[in-house]
Amino acid sequence: MDSITAGLSPMKGGDGPYSYTNNSSIQRQGVEIAKVLINEDIAEKLAINEVISSSKLFSIADLGCSVGPNTIIVVENIIDSVKLKYQSFCHNYQGALEFQVFFNDIPSNDFNVLFKFLPSDRKYFAAGVPGHFQGRLFPKASLHFVHSSYALHWLSKIPKELKDKASPAWNKGRIYHANASDDVREAYSAQFAKDMESFLNARAQELVCGGLMALIIPCLPDRWDFCEKF
Ligand SMILES: C[S@@+](CC[C@H](N)C(=O)[O-])C[C@H]1O[C@@H](n2cnc3c(N)ncnc32)[C@H](O)[C@@H]1O
């Protein structure tokens, strides 16, 4: 398994006023908007007859799930949508399909809060998977649906040029690239490209053939003028 030496800090756990739980309504809106697209893709593109083996088990992973409740909304929607698809394919559907959901985040994520949020009447088997999603997290060909929202823009590390005073990409101790030189932007961009490549390589091995992946990533247009917008 790949090891990633990231000094990432988790979202604020617990359920206090500053917790992610109580400060993630913007992400919630994005996730709600994406629901429609995910449902359409499951209906049109998921090859349910090919992906389900005789065990009738459907495995979902939410990568960078944080502490909830958004992740719970996401997985319930995916499950409902897959059930609909399965019913339309298999007319004598008798609830035979079983679901297992893997909630992944970095090891310091407050999984206890997430587990407390899980509905007691949930219709799926749940497990927490600590680890960095730039590396392998699951066995080969074991997942049917991979979801990740508002997490992939987190870099696995600070590009080293940004901390090197002798480099043209030295970022003067700042952690952002607004109004920085092109060298700084390029260093961030190169790290993002590396991280995405590692992420996609890992998922390519873990997803079953015919499975689906939904990625929601916040973006800015090229050459965004920070001075004007903020
Ligand atoms: C803004 S939260 C998004 C939570 C949730 N997906 C949502 O849409 O509300 C981003 C999460 O990604 C996690 N994350 C960042 N880098 C990660 C990595 N390399 N591997 C796993 N999780 C990561 C963070 O710990 C954090 O919990």
Side-chain angles (χ1 to χ4, degrees):
M1 253 167 245
D2 290 343
S3 79
I4 291 173
T5 49
L8 294 180
S9 302
M11 306 308 287
K12 186 151 179 59
D15 53 9
Y18 303 114
S19 61
Y20 186 71
T21 299
N22 288 316
N23 292 278
S24 47
S25 56
I26 292 179
Q27 291 85 337
R28 168 95 61 97
Q29 283 170 24
V31 157
E32 292 286 347
I33 292 167
K35 254 186 186 180
V36 182
L37 299 172
I38 290 176
N39 293 347
E40 277 172 13
D41 272 3
I42 289 176
E44 286 166 23
K45 299 190 182 136
L46 182 67
I48 194 109
N49 48 338
E50 287 167 27
V51 299
I52 301 293
S53 65
S54 54
S55 67
K56 303 256 189 297
L57 177 66
F58 194 94
S59 300
I60 300 166
D62 189 28
L63 309 183
C65 62
S66 190
V67 292
N70 296 348
T71 184
I72 294 167
I73 297 168
V74 163
V75 301
E76 286 181 352
N77 176 58
I78 295 170
I79 290 173
D80 288 347
S81 191
V82 171
K83 273 188 187 160
L84 268 181
K85 172 85 182 194
Y86 188 61
Q87 283 162 6
S88 65
F89 161 75
C90 176
H91 294 295
N92 58 354
Y93 173 81
Q94 288 168 338
L97 202 56
E98 289 193 306
F99 291 88
Q100 73 182 344
V101 177
F102 297 108
F103 294 96
N104 155 258
D105 210 290
I106 55 176
S108 51
N109 182 55
D110 193 347
F111 283 98
N112 285 334
V113 167
L114 171 63
F115 294 158
K116 268 197 278 176
F117 273 129
L118 292 176
S120 53
D121 60 349
R122 64 186 176 274
K123 303 282 187 299
Y124 54 88
F125 299 97
V129 177
H132 294 102
F133 51 45
Q134 287 90 357
R136 285 285 302 282
L137 295 166
F138 303 98
K140 282 188 179 160
S142 61
L143 298 176
H144 300 97
F145 199 108
V146 170
H147 178 275
S148 180
S149 54
Y150 295 94
L152 274 163
H153 57 297
W154 287 46
L155 300 183
S156 64
K157 61 177 176 220
I158 302 170
K160 61 178 182 331
E161 316 82 285
L162 299 181
K163 297 186 281 181
D164 176 1
K165 284 190 180 168
S167 161
W170 180 48
N171 203 16
K172 306 179 184 84
R174 299 177 305 190
I175 59 160
Y176 53 89
H177 62 73
N179 302 323
S181 68
D182 284 351
D183 293 304
V184 170
R185 271 193 221 106
E186 275 156 25
Y188 275 120
S189 175
Q191 185 61 49
F192 179 71
K194 270 190 219 149
D195 286 349
M196 270 313 279
E197 188 178 0
S198 309
F199 177 91
L200 292 173
N201 280 335
R203 303 300 81 77
Q205 296 189 61
E206 295 166 354
L207 260 175
V208 298
C209 192
L212 287 181
M213 180 157 73
L215 307 179
I216 302 171
I217 309 175
C219 307
L220 292 175
D222 282 350
R223 300 279 153 209
W224 179 264
D225 186 342
F226 287 91
C227 294
E228 201 178 294
K229 308 288 176 191
F230 292 107

